[in-house]
Amino acid sequence: MGRIIYETATSFDGYLADEQHSLDWLFVVPGGDNPDLAPPRAAVQVMGSTTYEWVLDELGALENMNVWHETMPSTTVVFTTRQLPAPDDADVKFMSGDVADAVPELQRLAGEGNIWVVGGGGLASQFIAAQALDEMVFSVAPVALGAGAPLLSQRIESDQATLISVEQVGQFARLTYRLSYPNKD
Ligand SMILES: NC(=O)c1ccc[n+]([C@@H]2O[C@H](COP(=O)([O-])OP(=O)(O)OC[C@H]3O[C@@H](n4cnc5c(N)ncnc54)[C@H](OP(=O)(O)O)[C@@H]3O)[C@@H](O)[C@H]2O)c1
């Protein structure tokens, strides 16, 4: 079975996006297009609906589904309580409710591959609450936003997260943490 990994870029004060859900601050960081910062190759990518709607909008994917197919090679699972559109023929599935209940189905979809939790921080935190997240990889940009969409929305103690690697990638510090769950059955 693959691993479940939350991988994202973040400001150094812990925001994924600014208050307008913009990533403009991220795209102007020198080295932000470095291939070493590319998202993991995963069999399944999982995101919340705000992130999904941002991606659809950014790619113009509903108007040009080829863009989706070129950019999003893996199965995409979107958590939402709403009915949302998907590009024609795109491998997009919608789920809702308790993440713990969804994990077996996500693992079935991923087979031996990894599951990439794209964000946001609330959804990633639900994977932690379900004791299902194995790893977190944060590419920290030299930017403070002051406010915005948080990297995580729940408390994690230091006996749960172990720093396993630190890498410099251009202007980003790429930090990898392994998670463990001392009280897991
Ligand atoms: N810096 C980066 O690399 C990076 C990475 C990822 C995301 N982002 C950005 O960061 C922001 C993240 O925004 P966010 O944290 O507000 O949101 P998000 O996680 O993308 O979406 C949150 C929404 O997802 C739905 N949802 C979440 N959990 C659910 C569950 N268990 N069951 C059913 N629905 C569920 C709910 O919406 P509904 O039910 O109303 O649909 C919820 O309001 C976005 O702007 C995104 O573009 C940046």
Side-chain angles (χ1 to χ4, degrees):
M1 205 187 306
R3 285 166 303 148
I4 306 184
I5 303 165
Y6 175 33
E7 168 141 11
T8 185
T10 175
S11 68
F12 54 30
D13 56 347
Y15 295 105
L16 299 179
D18 70 18
E19 286 180 294
Q20 284 71 46
H21 284 289
S22 170
L23 295 183
D24 291 351
W25 56 275
L26 177 61
F27 297 140
V28 297
V29 177
D33 53 359
N34 188 318
D36 290 344
L37 285 174
R41 293 219 53 93
V44 173
Q45 56 180 352
V46 184
M47 59 185 80
S49 63
T50 312
T51 302
Y52 174 66
E53 289 183 298
W54 181 90
V55 172
L56 280 184
D57 198 42
E58 190 69 9
L59 296 178
L62 290 177
E63 295 75 43
N64 180 4
M65 66 173 181
N66 285 337
V67 181
W68 180 274
H69 292 297
E70 284 157 16
T71 327
M72 300 278 172
S74 42
T75 299
T76 299
V77 173
V78 179
F79 274 82
T80 185
T81 53
R82 294 172 293 142
Q83 288 235 308
L84 295 175
D88 290 344
D89 297 330
D91 188 1
V92 178
K93 301 181 187 339
F94 298 99
M95 292 186 179
S96 69
D98 194 338
V99 162
D101 295 338
V103 166
E105 175 61 5
L106 293 172
Q107 285 168 330
R108 191 193 66 75
L109 290 169
E112 295 300 307
N114 289 338
I115 297 169
W116 173 29
V117 179
V118 182
L123 184 62
S125 296
Q126 293 175 54
F127 277 84
I128 296 169
Q131 304 194 330
L133 198 71
D134 297 304
E135 214 168 286
M136 302 187 297
V137 184
F138 301 142
S139 293
V140 183
V143 177
L145 294 173
L151 177 63
L152 288 163
S153 62
Q154 78 159 48
R155 187 167 166 148
I156 300 175
E157 301 296 343
S158 58
D159 63 349
Q160 248 189 295
T162 304
L163 181 63
I164 55 170
S165 86
V166 178
E167 254 176 285
Q168 181 172 355
V169 181
Q171 283 303 298
F172 291 83
R174 192 173 158 86
L175 311 175
T176 302
Y177 294 89
R178 184 170 302 132
L179 289 173
S180 60
Y181 301 95
N183 300 320
K184 196 168 183 174
D185 332 314

